Amino acid sequence: MSSLTTQFNLKTDNSGLAGTIINSPLRVGDRFFVEILMENSDINPVGITSSAINLSFDPRSIQNIDNPFTPLDINSPLVTSSFPFGRTGILDNTNGSITNLGGGSLPFLGIGSPLGINQLDTFSLLHFQVIGNGNSSLVLNIDLSQTGFSDGSVASYSGNQSQFIKIVQVGSSTAIPEPSTILAMVILGLGVLLSKKRNQDNSNDS
């Protein structure tokens, strides 16, 4: 049996790029990334040559915003470019699911390359946005029956964790204005008050 280690991360959106691990509640309108990493954690690893995942979420709270959602595109981060063969994946934002997202490689034919030899490598990177209040569970299921290794073995359901859960915490939906915005509002308010005072003075003089 080959051993699989999986890491499931929620990361900040840093101008459209995956940033740091999220450790505070998000707000409505915030965007974030879901990162899934895999490693062949055997003593003598040969590398992962295929895998597929299923992801479920609360569509009232968060939505996938990968546009277009095209896992068939080898340049799409939805599935690692190391797996160019048999790429699949279906997004259903209405019901909150991503199913059979995956692909594979055939290194002996020069198609793709193994993943996760002596390190965690990114299998998938997905983009999400918070659209509503309320926390959402993100449930990741690894299809171990489709997770293969370079030596021809397949991951076993005995000894390998296949389900991971993350909670997307959503705080107040009211965004706090930036300091520059607050200053502009104060200046605008003062301008309105001064204008009203001048109008009153002019009325008194006449």
Side-chain angles (χ1 to χ4, degrees), residues 43-117:
I43 295 175
N44 297 305
V46 295
I48 304 159
T49 52
S50 66
S51 193
I53 62 170
N54 298 296
L55 197 67
S56 61
F57 52 91
D58 185 347
R60 298 166 299 180
S61 180
I62 62 175
Q63 291 272 281
N64 179 271
I65 56 171
D66 286 292
N67 187 20
F69 189 90
T70 52
L72 292 177
D73 181 359
I74 192 173
N75 295 312
S76 170
L78 293 169
V79 178
T80 173
S81 59
S82 295
F83 290 178
F85 183 74
R87 294 166 70 95
T88 63
I90 299 172
L91 167 66
D92 183 353
N93 262 331
T94 301
N95 294 304
S97 68
I98 295 172
T99 55
N100 202 33
L101 180 63
S105 62
L106 300 171
F108 60 93
L109 293 179
I111 301 173
S113 57
L115 197 72
I117 300 177

Side-chain angles (χ1 to χ4, degrees), residues 107-131:
F108 60 93
L109 293 179
I111 301 173
S113 57
L115 197 72
I117 300 177
N118 294 318
Q119 65 181 21
L120 282 161
D121 287 328
T122 301
F123 171 77
S124 178
L125 186 67
L126 302 110
H127 207 185
F128 281 83
Q129 184 171 25
V130 179
I131 64 164

Side-chain angles (χ1 to χ4, degrees), residues 121-153:
D121 287 328
T122 301
F123 171 77
S124 178
L125 186 67
L126 302 110
H127 207 185
F128 281 83
Q129 184 171 25
V130 179
I131 64 164
N133 290 315
N135 298 342
S136 173
S137 296
L138 263 168
V139 182
L140 168 68
N141 285 290
I142 311 292
D143 187 344
L144 297 180
S145 68
Q146 295 193 64
T147 302
F149 299 84
S150 291
D151 60 2
S153 63

